[in-house]
Amino acid sequence: MAYVKSRGAVQAREASFADYDGIAALETRNGLLAKPAEEWQHLWLDNPAYRAVGGQWPIGWVLEDQDGKIVGSFGNIPLLFEFRGRPLIATSGRGWVVDPKYRGYAILPLNYFLNQKNVDLYLNTTANAESSEAFSVFQASRVPVGKWDESIFWITAYRGFVQSCLLMRSTPMPALASYPASVTLSLVDRLIGRNRRKIPSALNVSVCDTFDKRFDTFWEQLRNSTRRLLSLRTCDVLNWHFKYALNRKELLILTAGRNGSLEAYAMFGRQDNEKFGLKRMRLVDFQCLSEAAPSIFLLMLRWALQRCAQDGLHMLEMTGIRPDQMAAVEQLSPYRRKLTAWGYLYKTNDPQLAEVLKEPSAWDPTCYDGDASL
């Protein structure tokens, strides 16, 4: 495989599947959770977008030191989007990590990522303060819909939530100290009625274990009823995207409808913080064909809160809240915390597409996009 760049002690080249061990070791020593080899390869080999481009796609780039050791990595995941009947090839960065000694070279793989040919849309849906600053150097833009620098959440198991917070702050004897604080938090939430509002509805909410053919029908109706940019949600794509989350029972799929039809769905995925023992569920995606979307969203949100409490999860969290969802969310009196950066960035080298995407009406961004839930 040809080397694409050399700078002193570091060489950058296209990654291959044979690099798994080196990339996994790099991620682990830098505090990231490395996926098992099969699951990592699944991001490409079973990916409908990777198949659509005939496998002619760089899976990413690595940085090597003089001894051939991988000291940096940047994944490159192809995704299928549609915009007003036009199919688009998008790409999402994943696992951008560089050993501290070599972080002065970290911009190299980003440069290759953002200058790929035959890509319509470049995404970073898990941006932190460092990556956001780097992407801005290449004129990446903030997605213009939703609050992507804020987390909205509810506590669903007080003792576990408080204990994890105390662990994050290195508080002595967190298990003991968590008891009085969790009792106080619970009492306050009961007094103000946080996340306890009952939601009447004529719709039937049910749980799905997988994505069946109803989701293909739903996708056809969805794509024909909107002029917004959408990541593909066919059964084929959904079952690829969530294969391992489904296998580990880390995905909650709620559907709503009448007489067996699918009118709306919401997906909530586990995103625990194992280091601090935090058990967390996050909203991944909500889509609805009904004009009553805000009330259906509230119904599903309330259902998910009950499920989290039942399963002993500590919190339910959302990011990127859109204006049309905010009124529903406020009825459940959420907590808020500020994030370090705007978490959803994009770039396109197509001038016409860039102009259209400046408009909020062109977007329906969720945590299903990019690598936020992969």
Side-chain angles (χ1 to χ4, degrees), residues 183-238:
V183 170
T184 301
L185 263 180
S186 178
L187 288 173
V188 170
D189 281 3
R190 284 177 179 272
L191 285 172
I192 67 174
R194 178 172 276 130
N195 79 13
R196 293 182 177 277
R197 187 173 182 272
K198 294 188 181 298
I199 314 298
S201 175
L203 289 176
N204 296 318
V205 175
S206 58
V207 179
C208 284
D209 295 326
T210 188
F211 298 100
D212 54 42
K213 291 302 180 182
R214 291 180 304 154
F215 286 85
D216 278 336
T217 302
F218 183 93
W219 165 248
E220 288 300 319
Q221 294 173 299
L222 181 66
R223 65 195 288 263
N224 291 327
S225 65
T226 184
R227 290 178 58 77
R228 295 177 177 177
L229 176 72
L230 289 175
S231 183
L232 258 66
R233 290 165 168 85
T234 62
C235 280
D236 189 30
V237 174
L238 291 170

Side-chain angles (χ1 to χ4, degrees), residues 16-223:
S16 73
F17 291 113
D19 291 320
Y20 170 77
D21 288 340
I23 293 172
L26 169 72
E27 292 178 341
T28 299
R29 67 177 177 264
N30 282 278
L32 301 182
L33 184 63
K35 291 182 180 292
E38 178 183 304
E39 186 173 349
W40 181 75
Q41 293 177 358
H42 170 79
L43 295 172
W44 295 278
L45 294 181
D46 300 321
N47 182 343
Y50 189 76
R51 297 199 302 262
V53 296
Q56 302 302 307
W57 183 272
I59 68 169
W61 298 267
V62 294
L63 302 176
E64 291 183 328
D65 67 10
Q66 290 177 317
D67 298 321
K69 178 183 178 182
I70 292 177
V71 296
S73 176
F74 191 112
N76 183 44
I77 302 175
L79 301 165
L80 300 174
F81 275 70
E82 280 195 11
F83 184 51
R84 299 175 183 176
R86 173 188 171 187
L88 301 177
I89 295 292
T91 182
S92 174
R94 181 198 175 274
W96 185 16
V97 58
V98 180
D99 281 333
K101 179 180 177 181
Y102 299 98
R103 286 182 183 164
Y105 302 98
I107 203 74
L108 287 177
L110 177 61
N111 180 53
Y112 298 121
F113 172 76
L114 290 172
N115 284 285
Q116 295 177 81
K117 305 299 182 184
N118 304 317
V119 172
D120 300 299
L121 189 64
Y122 305 85
L123 299 176
N124 181 356
T125 60
T126 53
N128 56 24
E130 292 78 14
S131 65
S132 179
E133 182 178 353
F135 269 71
S136 69
V137 172
F138 291 87
Q139 287 78 52
S141 302
R142 293 180 171 189
V143 68
V145 176
K147 289 183 67 64
W148 293 93
D149 60 350
E150 182 180 67
S151 160
I152 287 178
F153 67 95
W154 297 265
I155 304 170
T156 53
Y158 290 86
R159 184 81 183 272
F161 175 83
V162 172
Q163 185 169 326
S164 67
C165 291
L166 295 176
L167 280 169
M168 291 179 194
R169 298 175 182 178
S170 301
T171 303
M173 296 185 291
L176 181 62
S178 66
Y179 181 73
S182 61
V183 170
T184 301
L185 263 180
S186 178
L187 288 173
V188 170
D189 281 3
R190 284 177 179 272
L191 285 172
I192 67 174
R194 178 172 276 130
N195 79 13
R196 293 182 177 277
R197 187 173 182 272
K198 294 188 181 298
I199 314 298
S201 175
L203 289 176
N204 296 318
V205 175
S206 58
V207 179
C208 284
D209 295 326
T210 188
F211 298 100
D212 54 42
K213 291 302 180 182
R214 291 180 304 154
F215 286 85
D216 278 336
T217 302
F218 183 93
W219 165 248
E220 288 300 319
Q221 294 173 299
L222 181 66
R223 65 195 288 263

Side-chain angles (χ1 to χ4, degrees), residues 156-348:
T156 53
Y158 290 86
R159 184 81 183 272
F161 175 83
V162 172
Q163 185 169 326
S164 67
C165 291
L166 295 176
L167 280 169
M168 291 179 194
R169 298 175 182 178
S170 301
T171 303
M173 296 185 291
L176 181 62
S178 66
Y179 181 73
S182 61
V183 170
T184 301
L185 263 180
S186 178
L187 288 173
V188 170
D189 281 3
R190 284 177 179 272
L191 285 172
I192 67 174
R194 178 172 276 130
N195 79 13
R196 293 182 177 277
R197 187 173 182 272
K198 294 188 181 298
I199 314 298
S201 175
L203 289 176
N204 296 318
V205 175
S206 58
V207 179
C208 284
D209 295 326
T210 188
F211 298 100
D212 54 42
K213 291 302 180 182
R214 291 180 304 154
F215 286 85
D216 278 336
T217 302
F218 183 93
W219 165 248
E220 288 300 319
Q221 294 173 299
L222 181 66
R223 65 195 288 263
N224 291 327
S225 65
T226 184
R227 290 178 58 77
R228 295 177 177 177
L229 176 72
L230 289 175
S231 183
L232 258 66
R233 290 165 168 85
T234 62
C235 280
D236 189 30
V237 174
L238 291 170
N239 281 312
W240 161 75
H241 191 113
F242 295 110
K243 176 181 177 179
Y244 289 93
L246 287 167
N247 288 348
R248 292 190 293 260
K249 301 188 184 303
E250 293 178 350
L251 185 71
L252 174 65
I253 310 169
L254 300 181
T255 61
R258 298 179 180 86
N259 302 320
S261 66
L262 183 58
E263 296 184 31
Y265 71 75
M267 293 184 286
F268 300 84
R270 289 288 292 273
Q271 289 199 356
D272 297 348
N273 186 325
E274 295 183 2
K275 181 178 180 180
F276 299 108
L278 179 66
K279 298 178 181 179
R280 172 174 53 191
M281 187 78 83
R282 280 182 174 170
L283 175 69
V284 174
D285 190 25
F286 170 76
Q287 297 297 326
C288 184
L289 301 174
S290 169
E291 294 181 357
S295 61
I296 296 174
F297 177 68
L298 180 60
L299 173 68
M300 291 189 160
L301 184 57
R302 183 71 187 97
W303 207 102
L305 285 165
Q306 292 173 338
R307 180 63 177 264
C308 286
Q310 174 187 320
D311 292 348
L313 305 186
H314 302 155
M315 65 184 293
L316 177 65
E317 185 175 41
M318 304 170 59
T319 56
I321 301 301
R322 303 195 304 261
D324 60 310
Q325 297 173 334
M326 190 59 71
V329 167
E330 291 293 357
Q331 293 187 51
L332 297 176
S333 304
Y335 289 96
R336 286 177 164 81
R337 67 182 177 96
K338 195 71 173 176
L339 304 179
T340 60
W342 194 267
Y344 194 136
L345 306 174
Y346 76 96
K347 177 180 170 63
T348 177

